[in-house]
Amino acid sequence: MPERIEPLAIAACSATSALGHGLAAQLEALRSGRGGLRPNDFSQAPLECRIGRVAGMEDAALPAPLAHWDCRNNRLGWLGLQQDGLMDAIAGAIERHGATRVALILGTSTASIGATEDAYRRLDNGRFPEDLRRPEIHTPHSLAAFVADATGIAGPALTISTACSSSAKVFASAERLIRLGLADAALVGGVDTLCDSVLFGFHSLELVSKHACRPFDAQRDGISIGEAAAFALLEPVQVAPNAPRLLGHGESSDAHHMSTPHPEGRGARAALDDALARAGIGADAVDYINLHGTATLKNDEVEAKLLPRFAPRTRASSTKGFTGHTLGAAGALEAVFALLAIEHGIVPPNLGCSEPMPAAAPWLALQPSSQRVDVALSNSFGFGGNNACLVFGRGDPA
Amino acid sequence: MSAPLSLRITGIGAWAPGAPDWQHLRVILRGDSTPDDDAPARPAGTILPAAERRRAPDGVRLAADVAVQATSMAGIDPAAVPCIFASTQGELAITDYVCETLARSPLELSPTKFHNSVLNAPAGYWTIATGCTAASSAVTAYHRSFAAGLLEAAVFACAEDTPVLFASCDVASTGPLAEMTHTTLAFGMAMLLHPNASNGARLNLALHGGTAEPVSVVTMATVARDNPANAEALALLSLLARANPSNLRLPLSSGLSLDMEIKP
């Protein structure tokens, strides 16, 4: 088992999803049970499903000096950075530590592939149309390179792209960099946008529901796909002693199948064990779990098998009924939801579930509720059997 | 800027056109041989189970080939070794297929090709083939993918006190996307990085405040030109092949470079 780590402060964070722009919109929706899924009006060809689409992106053009980065994914990244004073917090970290002492680690599964898809639809004599002949947006690092440019962060920069665990793993990588003294702070996060690749790709795997997704429901029949941008600024605890903290992280591989989880959740269990060990706590200390809960038959069946180790008082929910599965952004988005649970004493409900699977029912929070949350977990499991689990906890009393 | 990360390279793997493993590439990089025109044109992907190998795209076969060389040379069972696979562009031929199919007939998209399109396909296939249940990752940083990926792997090894498998692989592009990526041939390399082994070349890594010039590669310069993402990997392999104490400075970010000290 790994050793306990020094916690890090979440000095700032923000999220933008189908629930709205910024933390207040997320909080209001999670508190009231207002979901953000709507009929698919995005794909280039008709596809009957619900999607979690972020409003207002078509008008969110990038400022002129950054215009060469323009594409839907970078627009969403930019929109996300404008919320909740994030740009000021980043500037503060750069001022405190120096631009090269702030690392940038972002997760994305498809980055700006939407722009590449667009180029293929508009080929000009077999070449990309002139407005899309920008190599820097046809690469999976497009998002992080753009965010480095937009924020002035000059420390180590990396994109992690492990499908749906991408932006959970960024917390682990950043913690290691800071622990070894290679950075003093890190901006982590994830951005993924709707694109035909994921809508038709998951459809081809018969994993997309025609309805709004129903995590942990006996009748669940697949995912709803969403888009989101979520960021967190990690700094030493002394910088923000009252802020909630990253307590632990765990990562593992299933070694089982490219698109189906291990039937007993072997990898997920290992990630959870490691995360709790690094946090130095037992499962009995966990108040809230933000489940991966994609609403596929297999994911939810396997993830429910992890629950019996938790006390009956531990509340658990998937928030994908609110936002859809935001894929490479899900880890960071749901980390922010776990942080909101701690900061505001809420348990987000498992929206979309009316007939809970018996295996999960004792822990599932079906209605919004208010209660003190000191420790919150977030699970993220991706294609290729790639698992990550994060543990967050309360900071010092203000 | 900070204490160096100190590791040993206990295993190396490589695949280049005309040099399907590190033994071949090493003598070429020393100047003692030339690429073999009769070498296989595609990576074999031998370690993958037959059913997986049939489905696996070239980038997965390439990564599996270099990874198994590195772990075999190190004499280590990959099942418990965390692995980090870096790639600048991922599976370019699959990206071309996916985008072309979506433009033409989106409902015909192949589910297998879709799940092979994720950047962590090599990590997924590798962990399945070797029974590896440790952490696995897929990372990218555009032109800095090799340096940033190597740093990520070295940090993992030192922070968690564990050997780590690091691989850096890119395959050739096809179709209209090729004009945007400038990658026309496949190249891959892997290293087993060990934080406390007593054998293998010593590799010390440190961050340097300031930028660095792009590396120049003399031997196998066409590989560096036609797989620009891995020019830096080839530069490091050249130093390891010649087995002289040496230093290398690679660009890392807008304000940092990665200093490497190599002691054979």
Side-chain angles (χ1 to χ4, degrees), chain A residues 124-141:
Chain A
D124 175 4
N125 288 319
R127 296 179 67 194
F128 278 22
E130 205 165 323
D131 60 306
L132 288 174
R133 279 179 211 158
R134 291 178 276 144
E136 68 272 28
I137 61 166
H138 303 290
T139 179
H141 190 56

Side-chain angles (χ1 to χ4, degrees), chain B residues 29-96:
Chain B
L29 292 174
R30 277 180 184 157
D32 296 337
S33 181
T34 52
D36 175 4
D37 291 341
D38 297 328
R42 282 184 81 191
T46 314
I47 193 174
L48 303 171
E52 306 285 339
R53 192 161 61 237
R54 274 195 300 279
R55 283 198 290 259
D58 277 7
V60 168
R61 297 160 68 111
L62 174 64
D65 278 8
V66 296
V68 79
Q69 290 172 44
T71 51
S72 301
M73 180 175 159
I76 197 165
D77 178 1
V81 177
C83 49
I84 292 170
F85 290 84
S87 178
T88 298
Q89 298 287 5
E91 202 67 59
L92 283 165
I94 302 262
T95 310
D96 175 51

Side-chain angles (χ1 to χ4, degrees), chain B:
Chain B
M1 290 190 56
S2 57
L5 305 174
S6 190
L7 297 147
R8 296 253 194 188
I9 302 169
T10 60
I12 301 174
W15 194 97
D21 58 44
W22 171 234
Q23 303 311 325
H24 280 81
L25 185 62
R26 186 169 59 173
V27 289
I28 295 168
L29 292 174
R30 277 180 184 157
D32 296 337
S33 181
T34 52
D36 175 4
D37 291 341
D38 297 328
R42 282 184 81 191
T46 314
I47 193 174
L48 303 171
E52 306 285 339
R53 192 161 61 237
R54 274 195 300 279
R55 283 198 290 259
D58 277 7
V60 168
R61 297 160 68 111
L62 174 64
D65 278 8
V66 296
V68 79
Q69 290 172 44
T71 51
S72 301
M73 180 175 159
I76 197 165
D77 178 1
V81 177
C83 49
I84 292 170
F85 290 84
S87 178
T88 298
Q89 298 287 5
E91 202 67 59
L92 283 165
I94 302 262
T95 310
D96 175 51
Y97 159 83
V98 167
C99 291
E100 189 274 325
T101 305
L102 289 173
R104 183 171 43 81
S105 182
L107 289 167
E108 288 177 18
L109 190 62
S110 146
T112 302
K113 295 227 166 132
F114 172 64
H115 80 49
N116 282 343
S117 73
V118 294
L119 198 74
N120 64 317
Y125 279 94
W126 170 257
T127 52
I128 293 165
T130 60
C132 172
T133 53
S136 57
S137 197
V139 300
T140 184
Y142 202 29
H143 298 313
R144 307 282 85 91
S145 293
F146 175 73
L150 177 59
L151 176 66
E152 171 78 355
V155 165
F156 197 113
C158 293
E160 308 298 350
D161 192 27
T162 174
V164 167
L165 172 66
F166 170 67
S168 175
C169 303
D170 270 283
V171 293
S173 187
T174 56
L177 183 58
E179 189 184 348
M180 295 295 114
T181 62
H182 311 293
T183 305
T184 55
L185 56 78
F187 177 86
M189 66 90 78
M191 293 188 288
L192 201 293
L193 303 173
H194 207 302
N196 43 37
S198 53
N199 64 311
R202 172 72 65 189
L203 176 66
N204 293 329
L205 299 176
L207 299 182
H208 169 78
T211 51
E213 292 299 311
V215 296
S216 72
V217 173
V218 180
T219 313
M220 294 199 96
T222 52
V223 173
R225 183 194 66 208
D226 297 337
N227 193 312
N230 281 297
E232 296 172 346
L234 205 53
L236 174 60
L237 289 181
S238 298
L239 297 176
L240 290 168
R242 286 195 288 270
N244 295 322
S246 41
N247 292 281
L248 189 61
R249 176 171 287 174
L250 303 179
L252 185 68
S253 72
S254 63
L256 290 176
S257 45
L258 182 66
D259 270 359
M260 313 171 73
E261 182 185 23
I262 302 122
K263 295 185 199 164

